[in-house]
Amino acid sequence: MYIFICEDNIDGIFTGVYDAWASRYGHANIALTTHTPDNYSLFDEYIHIQTDYEKSAKVARTLHSRMGEETYQELCQAAMALEPVSHRQPIDKAEAIYKTIVLALSLPDAGKVLNYLGEPYVNRTFQLSRSTFNEAHHLLGFLRFQELENGILFAQIHPKNDVLPFLGEHFADRLPEENFMIFDATRNLAVLHPQGKGFFITDTSELNQEMLQRFSPQELEYRRLWCAFFNSIAIEARINLKLQNQNLPKRFQRDIIEFMDFPDK
């Protein structure tokens, strides 16, 4: 068995798909993974893949052309899903995506591949895609922008999955004349959107975190007013923390103003 080890992101996985397909070892003899094995098998050959953006782009163009926009987006969502090392699934994320692509390109209508949920690889890809989509959908409602002292609208999130591309596209379309930043504190990445331009994603590992806590006077006043309103309308006899946490999971609450200011609510 030839085991291709790639980076855990869209470009890494798509590069792995490109190299695995081009190797001509035969799809049945190939496995794709984003994890370095804990124990190497004596009879397997391990091939480490260097992410190549040109190869990734070629795979993306092929998938988009053959599968259509909707199915292509679902594959991207699957590649952006979290797969914790400590909770590995029977089918690796990269392996599921690779085998789903292999099946899709053998079908008369590749765009219908995710209808084949009886296939374990397809089912796994579908579940991964749905996980990313659901979290992105939740964050479209839960994300809160705050105005920094330099006038930039800033929002911080701690997502499980890599949802920044979806949030960037959504808010760039709805706030085209605003300078805004959406900071993924889990991955040290951020969407940056200059006024009147498109958005881009950048690494923030060297970003001055203290700068992100410098809010404008107007923002601080609105925060005070909003939190006072949030606190005043609460009816103590009707507080239901279980229902609150069901409708607004705790992992989202840490980035929402009213819960930061009133942690006991």
Side-chain angles (χ1 to χ4, degrees), residues 9-62:
N9 53 55
I10 290 180
D11 290 310
I13 292 173
F14 282 5
T15 301
V17 169
Y18 183 98
D19 284 356
W21 199 295
S23 70
R24 300 189 182 278
Y25 292 142
H27 300 310
N29 302 318
I30 292 173
L32 197 62
T33 180
T34 58
H35 302 294
T36 300
D38 296 324
N39 297 300
Y40 286 85
S41 171
L42 180 63
F43 301 103
D44 292 329
E45 181 176 339
Y46 296 88
I47 304 168
H48 290 266
I49 301 298
Q50 182 69 37
T51 298
D52 185 307
Y53 296 104
E54 288 188 11
K55 292 179 180 179
S56 174
K58 288 179 181 178
V59 171
R61 286 194 296 270
T62 299

Side-chain angles (χ1 to χ4, degrees), residues 191-209:
V191 162
L192 295 180
H193 177 268
Q195 182 183 32
K197 300 180 180 179
F199 75 92
F200 60 94
I201 297 175
T202 185
D203 178 77
T204 58
S205 54
E206 297 183 3
L207 183 67
N208 180 2
Q209 299 289 325

Side-chain angles (χ1 to χ4, degrees), residues 6-10 12-13 34-35 79-84 93 162:
C6 58
E7 292 185 9
D8 188 4
N9 53 55
I10 290 180
I13 292 173
T34 58
H35 302 294
M80 295 159 68
L82 174 69
E83 187 171 55
K93 175 175 71 173
D162 182 11

Side-chain angles (χ1 to χ4, degrees), residues 1-199:
M1 181 70 72
Y2 298 91
I3 301 176
F4 290 76
I5 304 172
C6 58
E7 292 185 9
D8 188 4
N9 53 55
I10 290 180
D11 290 310
I13 292 173
F14 282 5
T15 301
V17 169
Y18 183 98
D19 284 356
W21 199 295
S23 70
R24 300 189 182 278
Y25 292 142
H27 300 310
N29 302 318
I30 292 173
L32 197 62
T33 180
T34 58
H35 302 294
T36 300
D38 296 324
N39 297 300
Y40 286 85
S41 171
L42 180 63
F43 301 103
D44 292 329
E45 181 176 339
Y46 296 88
I47 304 168
H48 290 266
I49 301 298
Q50 182 69 37
T51 298
D52 185 307
Y53 296 104
E54 288 188 11
K55 292 179 180 179
S56 174
K58 288 179 181 178
V59 171
R61 286 194 296 270
T62 299
L63 297 181
H64 193 278
S65 172
R66 295 286 299 276
M67 296 181 174
E69 176 68 24
E70 183 177 350
T71 304
Y72 169 71
Q73 287 294 336
E74 292 189 80
L75 281 179
C76 290
Q77 289 166 189
M80 295 159 68
L82 174 69
E83 187 171 55
V85 176
S86 58
H87 298 88
R88 293 186 185 177
Q89 298 291 328
I91 302 176
D92 187 281
K93 175 175 71 173
E95 176 76 355
I97 293 170
Y98 175 63
K99 292 298 176 65
T100 298
I101 292 172
V102 170
L103 174 61
L105 298 183
S106 71
L107 298 174
D109 187 347
K112 294 183 178 179
V113 66
L114 293 181
N115 293 339
Y116 290 73
L117 294 177
E119 296 289 340
Y121 296 110
V122 176
N123 194 290
R124 173 83 173 122
T125 300
F126 176 79
Q127 296 297 333
L128 288 164
S129 177
R130 186 167 64 174
S131 173
T132 301
F133 175 83
N134 287 345
E135 183 170 37
H137 180 72
H138 280 125
L139 282 168
L140 292 180
F142 298 149
L143 183 143
R144 298 290 189 270
F145 282 107
Q146 303 173 70
E147 186 180 62
L148 300 179
E149 63 179 7
N150 57 13
I152 294 175
L153 298 182
F154 169 75
Q156 177 171 283
I157 56 175
H158 291 79
K160 291 181 179 179
N161 305 300
D162 182 11
V163 297
L164 280 183
F166 299 99
L167 299 180
E169 182 176 3
H170 176 88
F171 287 106
D173 181 58
R174 284 154 181 77
L175 302 171
E177 298 306 315
E178 299 289 346
N179 293 311
F180 69 76
M181 172 182 179
I182 304 174
F183 174 49
D184 181 344
T186 304
R187 295 169 179 78
N188 274 322
L189 295 172
V191 162
L192 295 180
H193 177 268
Q195 182 183 32
K197 300 180 180 179
F199 75 92

